[in-house]
Amino acid sequence: MHISPVLWQFLVRWLTNSALFPPEASAISPQMDAFYFFLCAISAVGLIAVGILVFGFSIMYRKEKNPVATQIEGSTLLEATWTIIPLALFMICFVWGALLYFRIYDPPTNAMNIYIVGKQWMWKAEHPGGQHEIDSLHIPINRQVQLTMISMDVFHSFSIPAFRVKREVIPGRYSTVWFEATATGTYHLFCTQYCGTDHSAMIGEIVAMTPEDYQKWASGSTSGASLAQNGERLFASLGCNSCHSGEATARGPNLAQVYGSQLQLVDGSTVTANDAFLRETILNPSTRVTAGYAPIMPTYQGQVSEEGLIDLVEYIKNLNSNYRIQQTLTASQLSPGQGGASTSGSSSPAMNDRPQQTLGAGQGRPAKAGKTAPSVPGTVNQ
Amino acid sequence: MSTIVTLPDQETARLPKLSYLNSEYGLKSWLLTGDHKRIAMLYLFSITFFFFIGGAFAGLIRLELLTPLPDLVASDTYNKLFTMHGVIMIFLFLVPSVPATVGNFVIPIMVGAKDLAFPKINLLSWYLYVAGATFLVFALVTGGVDTGWTFTTPLSTHYLNTHVITAAMGVFIAGFSSIFTGLNFIVTIHRMRCPGMTWFRLPLFCWSNYAASILMVLGTPVLAITLVLVMLERTIGIGVFDPTKGGDPLLFQHLFWFYSHPAVYIMILPGMGVISEVISTFSRKRVFGYTAVAFSSVAIAVFGFFVWAHHMFIMGVSNYSALVFSLLTMLVAVPSAIKIFNWSATLYKGSITFETPMLYAFGFMGLFTIGGLTGVFLGSLGMDIHLTETYFIVAHFHFVMVGGMLMAYLSGVHFWWPKMTGRMYPESMSQLSAVTTFIGFILTFFPQFIVGYLGMPRRYHAYPPEFQVLNVLSTAGATVLGIGYLLPMLYMPWSLKYGKIAGSNPWQATGLEWQIQSPPLTENFVDIPIMDHEAYDYDWLAHQTEHEVTTVG
């Protein structure tokens, strides 16, 4: 069976532009739709096969036509045929589906990361540059975007039909999903896991913009402090820096460049310090003590909100040296009342290429006090 | 090897003077009966009642979804509607449907026994069903419950103030009813077969109910444990599922689906048994590949226990474990495909007539094929990401559970109705209802596949206006479907008094249950039968009728 590529293209275009399909707006969408066509095709074949057998035999062997039934025991060969053919088809589906699944759920390494916090009944998006959104998410097209998501209460599920991606948002643990939008536009965002009274109102919009528009939006919507800057303040005010000072004699491990590294724990196991590990360690430190350190860190369960945890994780993620920690420590010792708010942003070059990253934005500029600050130009590219 | 169909002359049929229906009179004789046939009747009444309630909720849901705006009921009411619809339809209708009514009635007769192994446990199982149902009705009339039928934590344990515990208690108790039914079937099929009734002479209906019984006995306790944990978590906060206490909310999903996926097979397997009987009877042919069909039931039961995590592909289970569960899900689809093809092949060179049970069985084959194939969509990992938690899922399991199982149930009830009551249902009326049901069903649920692929989430009270056309189609279909279901509720009671007298074997079927009078005596058989032929041996039946002086009735 051969189908002309042009005809195939035409069919796919025609079908995907019809009202029977959601818009194809991500890199994965055409792949998902191709798989869907394949599944529909084998379903049609299967259904037609059964239909022909049932209707054909019903007409040919109805009682008026065939008053005498012929008894047949069975046929191993036939049975083997209709065991093996469906099995083979199902195996193709399995392999194809698995490839697609791994593509959707294996995050790329250089995606831009956005945090999502779900709670009854709203979605909160936090961009690393400090842009906060409720029930909407602005993203640039042609850029891999990874979402790190967590729920503050019950199970939610973050679904963007136009991108063909969805992932459960779970209380107490990070889940991730990534996509690459390919067409600008506004798309549906649904919570697809039943979450109580206003489940069907837990919707929002995904605004996919050109990178230039996204830059404009990002610089116009920042709250003034990046997540990492918020994290830094929190780090100081919770007193984390008194142990995690980065000095050789410190009671806590050095956190600089800890993100993404392999850690040896006291129980002998090795773990990768990823977002989930950092969050879990802040909340329940005693369960995962790094080798060489005493289990003295208190739990922060119930003391830091999910947003605060995201800030801390983002801060630690971007921590390339302990210079700022020590500076904060010194500053807080000099003027304890002001805490981390009096730090200067003089060093700590921004560690990644996020366009809206503001960590290194104001070289030599004193950090402003949080939300009241005037809009900081968040567009320094390294 | 050929069989000539000679249907008995029904004009000469007479109702037997003594039967299980008139051996005793009075309410007490029914409520304290140990007779499996009377208990089957008790079940039949109860599940029909709850089907009616569950169906009414479904009607309200469809009516609300006629428009995109949340304008008919409030959000909480809507959530209660779909929760109670699911809970009632699954635990009070689908799980007991075929086993507890038709199965209860015919399995002892099919194996040539006078009753089930434990008649009192059988009665107890009905009382447990009623007790469970009472809890659920109590939860319903005192304000309902809105957890969704899945009782998902932490929503059910911490975030709702409805009657979660009452409802969970109801399901917990009703679960024991199903365990006892399963236990009874297993022991009966093992120990009470009449002389000559070997395993491979059992009708396929017994095989599929046996497979379902194993699932009931092994799976339901896990649901019971899970519900107890939910209740404890809700009352005293033991923290098994609560992440802030170190619990794991995903553990609930694992435990719940460990029962609830096999529960799908608990619901569908007995229905498949009905289809085997009906297809064979109305094509006057032995079932093509008896052993393959029998073992495919067992294979479904075995594989069915190892696919539960396919409900959790997007929940952050390890990608590699998802791979294993997807593979096993594909394997469990194969025995179902075998069954469908074997039933089709049974028709080959048959002598087919199209009475109502056969029409319902054809409906089953069409709808179950669609339901099964769309299951392959959902079992394919990548596709599941887009389709799960949308209306595609809703359409898929309604095709399997309603299109498949309910069709099979109605097929079975019509098929054995003459045996149960001694009278025929009105044929043309019921053929009309079978066709109406089929058309209404397609119209209701097919648009939901499309709206699901478009992304409409399930359990949504309000939805974006571009989905309205498909939802209107679906609601229109539900109206037709509703009429299709109402018709049997009217003509079946009518036939009790006005139906034609059936005689002992109106279909010329081969099962032992058709060789005794209709309705049967309380003790089923006057003498213990001796099985000297295979199941579905139409030559034996033809031979039998030749030599017999016509003693129909």
Side-chain angles (χ1 to χ4, degrees):
Chain A
M1 198 178 86
H2 185 75
I3 186 161
S4 133
V6 179
L7 182 64
W8 176 251
Q9 279 292 317
F10 175 78
L11 267 175
V12 169
R13 284 280 160 75
W14 178 73
L15 274 171
T16 47
N17 286 331
S18 74
L20 302 181
F21 284 80
E24 274 188 336
S26 74
I28 209 82
S29 305
Q31 299 177 21
M32 185 74 91
D33 288 350
F35 186 32
Y36 185 66
F37 287 141
F38 172 75
L39 285 163
C40 287
I42 61 164
S43 300
V45 169
L47 193 62
I48 289 169
V50 173
I52 288 175
L53 290 177
V54 169
F55 280 105
F57 292 156
S58 295
I59 293 165
M60 285 158 67
Y61 303 111
R62 62 188 192 275
K63 193 187 166 196
E64 296 78 33
K65 194 105 183 294
N66 193 36
V68 181
T70 311
Q71 300 300 325
I72 300 166
E73 186 98 0
S75 157
T76 315
L77 183 69
L78 270 177
E79 278 162 6
T81 313
W82 59 60
T83 306
I84 290 166
I85 293 178
L87 182 66
L89 286 172
F90 296 162
M91 283 303 116
I92 296 174
C93 299
F94 164 70
V95 173
W96 194 337
L99 290 173
L100 203 55
Y101 183 81
F102 274 71
R103 208 189 131 133
I104 297 175
Y105 280 168
D106 266 354
T109 46
N110 56 345
M112 79 183 246
N113 195 33
I114 299 174
Y115 295 90
I116 302 286
V117 178
K119 55 178 290 193
Q120 285 180 329
W121 292 278
M122 57 187 264
W123 293 110
K124 207 165 168 182
E126 306 208 333
H127 299 251
Q131 297 84 355
H132 301 278
E133 304 181 66
I134 302 283
D135 288 341
S136 75
L137 178 63
H138 288 72
I139 43 147
I141 61 166
N142 301 328
R143 175 99 208 256
Q144 292 169 335
V145 177
Q146 180 179 339
L147 305 180
T148 301
M149 307 183 288
I150 193 158
S151 164
M152 286 172 66
D153 37 48
V154 300
F155 277 90
H156 300 285
S157 190
F158 195 89
S159 161
I160 313 169
F163 295 173
R164 314 285 191 274
V165 293
K166 180 185 290 141
R167 188 110 206 196
E168 202 82 359
V169 181
I170 301 168
R173 70 168 72 168
Y174 286 129
S175 55
T176 60
V177 70
W178 77 275
F179 49 78
E180 183 183 337
T182 50
T184 56
T186 304
Y187 307 107
H188 287 300
L189 156 64
F190 295 126
C191 171
T192 51
Q193 175 65 275
Y194 173 60
C195 57
T197 306
D198 278 333
H199 169 51
S200 52
M202 192 163 163
I203 55 176
E205 55 189 26
I206 306 293
V207 185
M209 316 160 95
T210 59
E212 299 76 43
D213 286 346
Y214 179 73
Q215 287 294 333
K216 269 185 232 150
W217 173 83
S219 53
S221 333
T222 179
S223 59
S226 72
L227 297 186
Q229 283 173 324
N230 287 334
E232 185 176 7
R233 269 193 286 277
L234 202 53
F235 195 79
S237 68
L238 290 170
C240 308
N241 48 11
S242 61
C243 293
H244 296 284
S245 61
E247 288 158 12
T249 55
R251 282 175 292 174
N254 184 348
L255 295 183
Q257 292 181 327
V258 78
Y259 183 79
S261 65
Q262 296 283 325
L263 291 181
Q264 184 86 30
L265 301 188
V266 279
D267 61 9
S269 60
T270 315
V271 291
T272 310
N274 55 14
D275 300 37
F277 174 82
L278 292 178
R279 178 184 174 280
E280 194 52 35
T281 313
I282 295 166
L283 294 179
N284 297 305
S286 58
T287 56
R288 40 199 81 200
V289 180
T290 313
Y293 292 90
I296 51 167
M297 179 167 161
T299 171
Y300 286 88
Q301 186 96 49
Q303 298 180 42
V304 196
S305 68
E306 289 299 345
E307 281 99 336
L309 286 165
I310 287 172
D311 293 340
L312 285 172
V313 167
E314 187 68 12
Y315 173 60
I316 296 169
K317 239 178 171 174
N318 290 301
L319 205 59
N320 263 4
S321 74
N322 283 307
Y323 182 76
R324 300 256 302 166
I325 295 184
Q326 283 157 9
Q327 215 181 20
T328 315
L329 201 58
T330 324
S332 60
Q333 279 157 359
L334 290 175
S335 51
Q338 292 175 38
S342 63
T343 54
S344 77
S346 57
S347 81
S348 177
M351 286 58 136
N352 54 33
D353 60 351
R354 291 194 182 91
Q356 73 286 4
Q357 177 59 261
T358 56
L359 239 186
Q363 292 282 332
R365 166 188 59 83
K368 302 292 194 299
K371 309 261 152 124
T372 56
S375 169
V376 175
T379 53
V380 175
N381 278 309
Q382 306 301 313
Chain B
M1 296 279 272
S2 58
T3 314
I4 302 172
V5 189
T6 37
L7 286 183
D9 183 8
Q10 289 193 337
E11 296 305 313
T12 63
R14 294 282 174 275
L15 277 181
K17 284 201 182 67
L18 190 65
S19 73
Y20 82 99
L21 288 171
N22 61 14
S23 60
E24 279 181 283
Y25 290 100
L27 196 60
K28 207 177 131 193
S29 76
W30 281 90
L31 293 182
L32 296 179
T33 183
D35 183 359
H36 64 102
K37 298 180 287 299
R38 287 193 165 205
I39 296 169
M41 285 298 159
L42 293 175
Y43 262 117
L44 185 65
F45 285 124
S46 348
I47 73 167
T48 308
F49 174 73
F50 284 107
F51 175 73
F52 187 75
I53 295 182
F57 289 153
L60 283 172
I61 291 169
R62 282 313 326 164
L63 201 57
E64 165 62 57
L65 294 177
L66 192 60
T67 60
L69 294 173
D71 37 19
L72 181 69
V73 293
S75 295
D76 280 328
T77 316
Y78 182 81
N79 296 343
K80 286 171 186 170
L81 283 177
F82 73 68
T83 302
M84 296 309 291
H85 167 72
V87 169
I88 287 177
M89 284 304 200
I90 287 170
F91 296 111
L92 298 186
F93 178 73
L94 283 169
V95 168
S97 62
V98 166
T101 58
V102 177
N104 231 334
F105 195 99
V106 300
I107 282 182
I109 314 182
M110 277 179 165
V111 304
K114 293 194 169 176
D115 206 318
L116 282 170
F118 308 115
K120 282 182 181 147
I121 289 184
N122 194 19
L123 183 64
L124 176 62
S125 98
W126 181 71
Y127 276 103
L128 285 171
Y129 172 88
V130 172
T134 311
F135 271 90
L136 286 170
V137 169
F138 179 77
L140 179 66
V141 296
T142 53
V145 60
D146 56 354
T147 55
W149 80 275
T150 50
F151 293 99
T152 309
T153 58
L155 184 69
S156 61
T157 50
H158 289 83
Y159 291 91
L160 295 173
N161 51 12
T162 50
H163 298 75
V164 180
I165 292 184
T166 321
M169 200 65 203
V171 174
F172 177 81
I173 296 171
F176 281 93
S177 142
S178 135
I179 293 174
F180 286 152
T181 303
L183 178 78
N184 238 328
F185 284 2
I186 292 175
V187 177
T188 305
I189 293 173
H190 269 278
R191 305 294 306 164
M192 315 255 308
R193 283 172 286 131
C194 66
M197 180 64 83
T198 60
W199 279 90
F200 291 99
R201 282 178 177 175
L202 281 173
L204 289 165
F205 184 73
C206 295
W207 274 94
S208 61
N209 273 281
Y210 181 80
S213 302
I214 290 175
L215 292 174
M216 288 180 193
V217 171
L218 296 181
T220 321
V222 180
L223 174 74
I225 293 162
T226 315
L227 289 173
V228 168
L229 288 175
V230 166
M231 288 188 262
L232 287 178
E233 179 113 12
R234 197 174 157 87
T235 44
I236 55 172
I238 52 167
V240 177
F241 305 129
D242 183 357
T244 60
K245 288 183 179 153
D248 184 355
L250 275 186
L251 178 63
F252 172 84
Q253 300 288 330
H254 280 290
L255 288 173
F256 183 81
W257 290 114
F258 186 81
Y259 165 76
S260 293
H261 194 78
V264 173
Y265 301 112
I266 291 177
M267 297 178 231
I268 196 72
L269 276 168
M272 292 172 157
V274 172
I275 302 304
S276 295
E277 300 299 312
V278 169
I279 298 263
S280 164
T281 299
F282 293 95
S283 48
R284 277 86 206 178
K285 258 196 72 198
R286 54 181 303 151
V287 173
F288 189 90
Y290 174 98
T291 355
V293 178
F295 280 119
S296 65
S297 295
V298 180
I300 288 175
V302 173
F303 285 129
F305 265 118
F306 301 100
V307 298
W308 77 89
H310 68 206
H311 295 265
M312 304 165 63
F313 284 159
I314 69 160
M315 290 196 183
V317 293
S318 134
N319 287 0
Y320 297 98
S321 86
L323 212 56
V324 174
F325 281 101
S326 171
L327 184 65
L328 287 164
T329 305
M330 294 302 172
L331 294 183
V332 83
V334 175
S336 304
I338 295 175
K339 276 178 188 278
I340 289 281
F341 283 115
N342 275 32
W343 290 326
S344 308
T346 304
L347 300 172
Y348 176 68
K349 293 203 172 170
S351 177
I352 305 166
T353 52
F354 303 95
E355 284 88 353
T356 313
M358 191 63 157
L359 292 185
Y360 275 118
F362 283 163
F364 171 95
M365 285 175 72
L367 301 179
F368 181 74
T369 304
I370 298 178
L373 285 166
T374 50
V376 175
F377 285 54
L378 295 162
S380 306
L381 288 167
M383 189 49 66
D384 183 70
I385 295 175
H386 180 57
L387 293 178
T388 190
E389 297 174 352
T390 68
Y391 260 84
F392 194 95
I393 281 269
V394 176
H396 158 69
F397 69 70
H398 279 89
F399 263 82
V400 176
M401 298 284 86
V402 185
M405 187 55 202
L406 196 52
M407 285 288 193
Y409 171 73
L410 287 170
S411 175
V413 169
H414 282 86
F415 181 61
W416 280 290
W417 190 254
K419 185 53 65 185
M420 291 173 174
T421 65
R423 288 181 184 269
M424 302 299 291
Y425 56 83
E427 189 64 52
S428 44
M429 191 66 165
S430 58
Q431 283 172 326
L432 177 73
S433 88
V435 174
T436 315
T437 312
F438 184 80
I439 295 171
F441 184 87
I442 294 274
L443 189 54
T444 310
F445 291 104
F446 204 83
Q448 295 184 3
F449 283 126
I450 299 166
V451 86
Y453 196 77
L454 283 171
M456 178 168 162
R458 64 190 288 201
R459 295 170 166 177
Y460 259 32
H461 179 211
Y463 55 87
E466 67 258 33
F467 299 149
Q468 190 176 9
V469 175
L470 290 161
N471 275 291
V472 169
L473 281 178
S474 191
T475 302
T479 324
V480 181
L481 191 59
I483 293 170
Y485 291 142
L486 271 178
L487 283 175
M489 288 198 201
L490 298 176
Y491 66 69
M492 286 307 215
W494 175 90
S495 76
L496 288 176
K497 191 155 165 52
Y498 303 104
K500 273 188 274 180
I501 291 165
S504 61
N505 195 356
W507 311 127
Q508 286 298 289
T510 56
L512 278 183
E513 78 273 25
W514 297 107
Q515 316 312 322
I516 58 172
Q517 66 172 40
S518 337
L521 292 166
T522 306
E523 56 273 23
N524 299 341
F525 301 97
V526 182
D527 304 308
I528 294 172
I530 294 167
M531 189 71 173
D532 53 3
H533 56 277
E534 306 275 290
Y536 314 112
D537 190 340
Y538 289 89
D539 294 321
W540 168 83
L541 187 72
H543 190 70
Q544 195 83 347
T545 32
E546 249 171 58
H547 290 269
E548 228 167 57
V549 194
T550 320
T551 52
V552 178

